[in-house]
Amino acid sequence: MRAELDPSWPNEVTLRSLDNFYCYEPAKYLPEVTPTPLLMIVGSEDGLTGGNLAAVAYSGAAEPKDIVFLPGGHFDAYTGEGFKVASQAARDWFVRHLTAL
């Protein structure tokens, strides 16, 4: 699929990026973020971060919160039908929570 979207993009990362990736654990910061409004947009077939991990993290967050599961994987929120769903969910979330400020 990447070859179809952008055949010139080099699919490479540095060793330091890999080290940072393995240490990355965003769920541990949820108690510090909440009760700030939280929207999670998750690919239901996400093999990179895992939809199950996102659901567990979501369950530990305080309200207000919402989770949207998209069909597809990790990057499907950026193109096609996944983008339509993700962008509408984000727009609605921002309107609901930012207009109240």
Side-chain angles (χ1 to χ4, degrees), residues 10-43:
N11 190 10
E12 302 170 347
V13 296
T14 65
L15 289 175
R16 184 173 205 164
S17 295
L18 284 176
D19 187 44
N20 288 336
F21 172 75
Y22 289 122
C23 296
Y24 182 62
E25 182 56 50
K28 73 180 181 182
Y29 298 105
L30 279 176
E32 296 174 27
V33 172
T34 58
T36 301
L38 172 70
L39 172 63
M40 294 177 67
I41 300 175
V42 180

Side-chain angles (χ1 to χ4, degrees), residues 18-95:
L18 284 176
D19 187 44
N20 288 336
F21 172 75
Y22 289 122
C23 296
Y24 182 62
E25 182 56 50
K28 73 180 181 182
Y29 298 105
L30 279 176
E32 296 174 27
V33 172
T34 58
T36 301
L38 172 70
L39 172 63
M40 294 177 67
I41 300 175
V42 180
S44 59
E45 299 155 29
D46 188 339
L48 186 60
T49 59
N52 290 342
L53 292 174
V56 169
Y58 175 79
S59 68
E63 296 287 346
K65 63 182 180 178
D66 198 7
I67 190 167
V68 175
F69 286 97
L70 304 175
H74 188 79
F75 298 103
D76 285 311
Y78 303 116
T79 60
E81 187 60 31
F83 178 76
K84 290 178 190 174
V85 173
S87 61
Q88 185 66 48
R91 181 225 171 260
D92 293 348
W93 182 259
F94 290 133
V95 166

